[in-house]
Amino acid sequence: MEDSINIVTDMAFEAVDADGSGQLDKIELGQVLKDVAKVMNINPPSDNDVTAVLQELDQDDDAEVSKDEFVHLILQVLRKMKESEEEFQRTYQPPQ
């Protein structure tokens, strides 16, 4: 499972690291969060939301998110997607 998460994280990080710096700045992180919100059909994050996520993920206080720090975001998104799927199944599963 860990290998799969690493592959997903690497691919996702490279896709959103627009300038190829190996770090996500606030603008790149904001775009990721907006894209995820759209896919999950939830309201897009505000600028304050993006700042809060950046501060939460940025463990070395360099105002950017490294690939290692990005893993935490991917894990949170995957957990939320799993919770949403489980809720959907509970809500819409026909009685047997």
Side-chain angles (χ1 to χ4, degrees):
M1 178 72 163
E2 187 175 326
D3 287 340
S4 296
I5 290 172
N6 287 334
I7 291 169
V8 168
T9 301
D10 288 347
M11 290 172 44
F13 189 88
E14 290 171 14
V16 298
D17 183 15
D19 62 5
S21 67
Q23 302 279 343
L24 300 183
D25 60 25
K26 185 178 176 182
I27 294 170
E28 292 167 325
L29 180 61
Q31 189 59 54
V32 170
L33 296 175
K34 289 173 187 171
D35 291 347
V36 169
K38 185 175 181 180
V39 168
M40 295 182 74
N41 200 28
I42 58 176
N43 291 329
S46 68
D47 192 50
N48 288 339
D49 294 334
V50 174
T51 298
V53 171
L54 177 61
Q55 290 173 342
E56 181 179 334
L57 296 175
D58 183 21
Q59 298 171 355
D60 60 4
D61 295 323
D62 65 354
E64 295 184 316
V65 177
S66 69
K67 192 181 292 187
D68 289 338
E69 294 166 337
F70 186 70
V71 170
H72 298 288
L73 176 62
I74 293 295
L75 291 174
Q76 289 174 1
V77 169
L78 292 173
R79 277 190 215 106
K80 184 65 176 169
M81 289 172 69
K82 182 179 179 191
E83 290 170 7
S84 294
E85 178 66 23
E86 288 170 350
E87 182 179 331
F88 177 81
Q89 288 177 356
R90 281 192 306 273
T91 303
Y92 295 105
Q93 188 172 26
Q96 296 181 12

